[in-house]
Amino acid sequence: WGCCPYPKAVCCDDGEHCCPQGYTCDVSAGTCNRGNTQSELTELSVGSVKCDDGSSCPTGTTCCKLSSGDWGCCPYPKAVCCDDGEHCCPQGYTCDLSAGTCDRGNTQSELTELSVGS
């Protein structure tokens, strides 16, 4: 068994990836799809990453400081933590908080909410 950082996640048929609730896995394309929205598949993890305050997040995720000052988990490795302390984007993307998207060139996906670390 592996851990997926999303609540009520969709486990992909390959047994190695997951997607947020409401998305479908496209393992061959490496994406999670919902309508016209795409994001990268998230790898299942075993183990944990230590955050600066001693809390932890699952392996393959990134610790991001929450607006409360605590630490949260972003489901992407080497993620970009957005300035609002509530969202993150995959590596290589930028946060567009006003549009609610993660942007990279002409590619957009929804911002991902941070979860609280353990």
Side-chain angles (χ1 to χ4, degrees):
W1 292 95
C3 298
C4 183
Y6 303 112
K8 300 179 185 173
V10 175
C11 296
C12 301
D13 291 338
D14 67 355
E16 297 179 10
H17 297 92
C18 65
C19 291
Q21 181 181 18
Y23 283 72
T24 56
C25 300
D26 185 341
V27 175
S28 61
T31 59
C32 299
N33 303 320
R34 182 173 71 185
N36 293 330
T37 304
Q38 284 188 334
S39 63
E40 294 179 14
L41 288 176
T42 299
E43 285 189 42
L44 299 178
S45 60
V46 178
S48 63
V49 173
K50 296 291 180 201
C51 303
D52 288 352
D53 68 347
S55 63
S56 62
C57 292
T59 298
T61 65
T62 302
C63 296
C64 290
K65 196 152 203 168
L66 299 169
S67 55
S68 66
D70 293 327
W71 288 86
C73 307
C74 179
Y76 308 112
K78 300 178 185 169
V80 175
C81 302
C82 300
D83 291 339
D84 67 354
E86 296 177 13
H87 298 93
C88 64
C89 291
Q91 181 181 21
Y93 284 73
T94 56
C95 302
D96 184 341
L97 296 172
S98 61
T101 58
C102 297
D103 301 339
R104 180 172 69 185
N106 292 328
T107 304
Q108 286 186 328
S109 63
E110 290 182 12
L111 290 173
T112 299
E113 284 191 38
L114 300 173
S115 61
V116 177
S118 56

